[in-house]
Amino acid sequence: MIKPYAKRLLEGDDLRLSLLKFIQVNNIRAGSLLTGVGCLSHAKIRLANEKNVLDIEGPLEIITLCGTLTAKHVHIHISVSDRKGQVYGGHLMPGCIVSYTAELCMIAYNNLNFERQYDLNTGFDELVIRDNSN
């Protein structure tokens, strides 16, 4: 029911786009990004207010990286620290560029299907979980 995956990204890879491509190539319909470590030369992180995006030059160390994976969308939160130890966090956006390496560990839930649908209450595309084991 659960299948583990691991992926190493290389210098110059876009973290978010590479992750989405991996999900699509491996036909992962429902999954979790459990952990990610590595470093970035550049980061784009959307803040909680949904409008502002931090545009941060590296070097940056990935402190945390986790989220949900669907076939068409990844909802990932990231925190990074700069050379002074200042920490920044929020939603992972395209434009987070790997420097040296990034190591990702994921799992897929073969009995589930995750999708995103617009929710009138929140105003955002929210997670919809379907159980395929029936």
Side-chain angles (χ1 to χ4, degrees):
M1 288 235 200
I2 293 178
K3 182 175 180 181
Y5 290 90
K7 173 73 175 164
R8 179 175 175 228
L9 302 180
L10 303 174
E11 184 175 1
D13 288 341
D14 183 298
L15 182 57
R16 189 177 191 284
L17 298 179
S18 297
L19 180 57
L20 184 57
K21 181 178 179 182
F22 181 84
I23 298 311
Q24 293 170 342
V25 165
N26 287 282
N27 199 32
I28 296 173
R29 296 276 187 217
S32 295
L33 175 60
L34 300 176
T35 187
V37 296
C39 45
L40 302 175
S41 60
H42 192 94
K44 289 193 176 188
I45 302 172
R46 185 169 47 86
L47 300 175
N49 67 10
E50 303 294 336
K51 294 176 185 173
N52 296 328
V53 174
L54 293 177
D55 198 337
I56 311 165
E57 287 297 323
L60 301 163
E61 194 72 32
I62 297 171
I63 305 300
T64 58
L65 190 65
C66 61
T68 53
L69 312 171
T70 70
K72 296 179 183 176
H73 180 79
V74 294
H75 181 186
I76 306 298
H77 289 189
I78 185 171
S79 62
V80 297
S81 65
D82 64 16
R83 66 181 76 217
K84 294 180 181 180
Q86 178 71 41
V87 176
Y88 306 90
H91 291 268
L92 177 70
M93 299 295 290
C96 291
I97 307 301
V98 174
S99 66
Y100 307 110
T101 191
E103 303 162 6
L104 309 175
C105 294
M106 300 157 274
I107 56 173
Y109 309 104
N110 296 328
N111 63 317
L112 300 175
N113 190 44
F114 289 172
E115 297 174 1
R116 295 260 165 205
Q117 290 181 356
Y118 184 77
D119 185 313
L120 289 172
N121 292 323
T122 67
F124 298 102
D125 288 340
E126 300 292 359
L127 186 65
V128 175
I129 304 164
R130 300 194 198 295
D131 189 337
N132 296 331
S133 61
N134 300 336

